[in-house]
Amino acid sequence: MLDLGFIGLGVMGQPMAINLCTAGHRLSVYARKPTQSEALQSIGATVLESPHAVARAAEILFLNVSDDAALEAVLFSANGAASGLRADSIVVDMGTTSPAYTRQLALRLQQHNVHLIDAPVSGGQAGAIAGTLSIMAGGPEAAFQRVLPLFEIIGGGIVHVGDSGAGQIAKACNQIVVSAALLGVAEALTFARRQGVDAGKVRQALLGGSAYSKILEIHGQRMLDRNYQPGFKAKLHQKDLGIVLEEAQIAGMSLPGSALAAQMMCALVAAGDGELDSSALINVIQQLNGETP
Amino acid sequence: MLDLGFIGLGVMGQPMAINLCTAGHRLSVYARKPTQSEALQSIGATVLESPHAVARAAEILFLNVSDDAALEAVLFSANGAASGLRADSIVVDMGTTSPAYTRQLALRLQQHNVHLIDAPVSGGQAGAIAGTLSIMAGGPEAAFQRVLPLFEIIGGGIVHVGDSGAGQIAKACNQIVVSAALLGVAEALTFARRQGVDAGKVRQALLGGSAYSKILEIHGQRMLDRNYQPGFKAKLHQKDLGIVLEEAQIAGMSLPGSALAAQMMCALVAAGDGELDSSALINVIQQLNGETP
């Protein structure tokens, strides 16, 4: 049994924290909105008054906040977690953070003898609830090994990709692959429909061959059903593709497919649909072709 | 036992014809190059001297040639198949043909009381040999039902997508989805490598989550191994994306992702790599980024 902390009890964080708590660990949590911690309190987690207090109570502190700025605030603002962290403790960032910020954060925490593991996930809310998330981890091997038994509670496929930031690079790659797949499926289904062919049958036919992807199976069906309940919000996908292009810019790289997918995601958000599941990307393709989504 | 004909004994056609023959049907074949029919002759197929002769011998005639022009020649040139076709026979086009030509061909054959089923496939040479091809069929229901038991010999997932041309539309959709996936995987692996992260571990991490696709699994591994033995040749993928954009143009459609993927495939062919597997698309992304493939 370990003393764990969890901050960031949103759509993804809350089920992860619940899984850690029900596995028998002593869990302390902090939430800005009290409603977010009620479920955890009811299963025995300790609700504390600040990130600082949670950090003091934990040997391993999980963070799952929305972006670099939120992570900086949770750690380094007044009553932030950083000032409470114990020596030789581990911070596990489960959110999608920029690789550049992650590498810098690892160095800052190292100065206080605190280890950082970046561990963004894929698999959505369903995977978080079922404890089957795919986890892409970066950071020192020894710290990774200490966290691994906890990752096995919240995830299925766990890969230690490399040093600090490598998990975030893998997540960036994940978003590149997923957005390209969304664009391909959106164009294919729109093309089929315009040609007078049943798009559902096309999806069915394609699932059996080399076109198979989780995106075609799951998000393709969402597109057919026009069911854009998130899932994974378009505005977060847009943010993640922003990270990809920023890192590519820093590295002096050209990624034309990712740039196009990012622009399409921006168009979706610009149309006021940022809260929809990112499979609503097909709306942009339909609008380009004079169709009402 | 049926009287079947097969013309177009290439990389895909030959194993399909072998599977039909070994299933016990009487098979007649024609090949321009005598070496292409040797394997079939050795298992009992009858080798005839012209497409016309094969058509006369068959109640169901399978064609698997490279493009619209080759299909037109096999059917309508001197000694072509069309003049030999029996009334109420069926022509099954297993190749990737343009939907517009397919619809027109169906009408021309109908005038001779011959039915056309368009039935392009996905699954590559390995699927053709194993008899597990995914088959996307278009054409009249009664003709489809007559051919279905034969499709079950050469394929696994068989979907009757719709009327004449619907199979070719589904195949076009297949190529849209596959090329978008190839572009996404190529950019992701190039991005990972440039960031100093092990691209093989990134692929491994992504396989477990929503980024999973056959393309990431199979073609991603080919990219890591720099093994571009086809598989499916880049020049054929380029041809297929040409069909997609031509049909989109006719329909007045905008497909930005497909257009970009097509341009990338053109660049690969322009670099002299048209004979490589289309996963060599990563070479184009690497070259864009100043790397030697």
Side-chain angles (χ1 to χ4, degrees), chain A residues 179-200:
Chain A
S179 61
L182 282 171
L183 186 54
V185 172
E187 291 196 2
L189 297 183
T190 304
F191 179 74
R193 208 177 281 141
R194 178 68 72 96
Q195 296 285 340
V197 171
D198 183 330

Side-chain angles (χ1 to χ4, degrees), chain A residues 103 122-123 134 136 159-161 166 169-170 172-174 176-178 180 183-185 187-188 190-192 194-195 197-198 201-202 204-206 208-215 244 247-248 251-258 260 264 285 288-289, chain B residues 103 122-123 134 136 159-161 166 169-170 172-174 176-178 180 183-185 187-188 190-192 194-195 197-198 201-202 204-206 208-215 244 247-248 251-258 260 264 285 288-289:
Chain A
R103 291 185 203 109
S122 169
S134 140
M136 300 156 251
V159 178
H160 186 202
V161 183
I169 293 290
C173 291
N174 190 80
I176 292 172
V177 169
V178 165
L183 186 54
V185 172
E187 291 196 2
T190 304
F191 179 74
R194 178 68 72 96
Q195 296 285 340
V197 171
D198 183 330
K201 285 194 179 161
V202 167
Q204 197 58 42
L206 268 52
S210 45
Y212 176 85
S213 67
K214 290 268 184 204
I215 296 298
V244 167
E247 293 287 329
M253 288 191 75
S254 165
L255 297 175
S258 304
L260 178 61
M264 294 293 177
I285 302 300
L288 272 181
N289 288 292
Chain B
R103 290 186 204 108
S122 168
S134 140
M136 299 156 250
V159 178
H160 186 202
V161 182
I169 293 291
C173 292
N174 190 80
I176 291 173
V177 168
V178 166
L183 186 55
V185 171
E187 290 196 2
T190 304
F191 179 74
R194 177 69 72 97
Q195 297 284 341
V197 171
D198 184 329
K201 285 192 178 163
V202 167
Q204 195 59 42
L206 268 52
S210 45
Y212 176 85
S213 67
K214 290 269 184 201
I215 295 298
V244 167
E247 292 289 327
M253 288 192 75
S254 165
L255 298 175
S258 304
L260 178 60
M264 294 294 177
I285 303 301
L288 271 181
N289 287 292

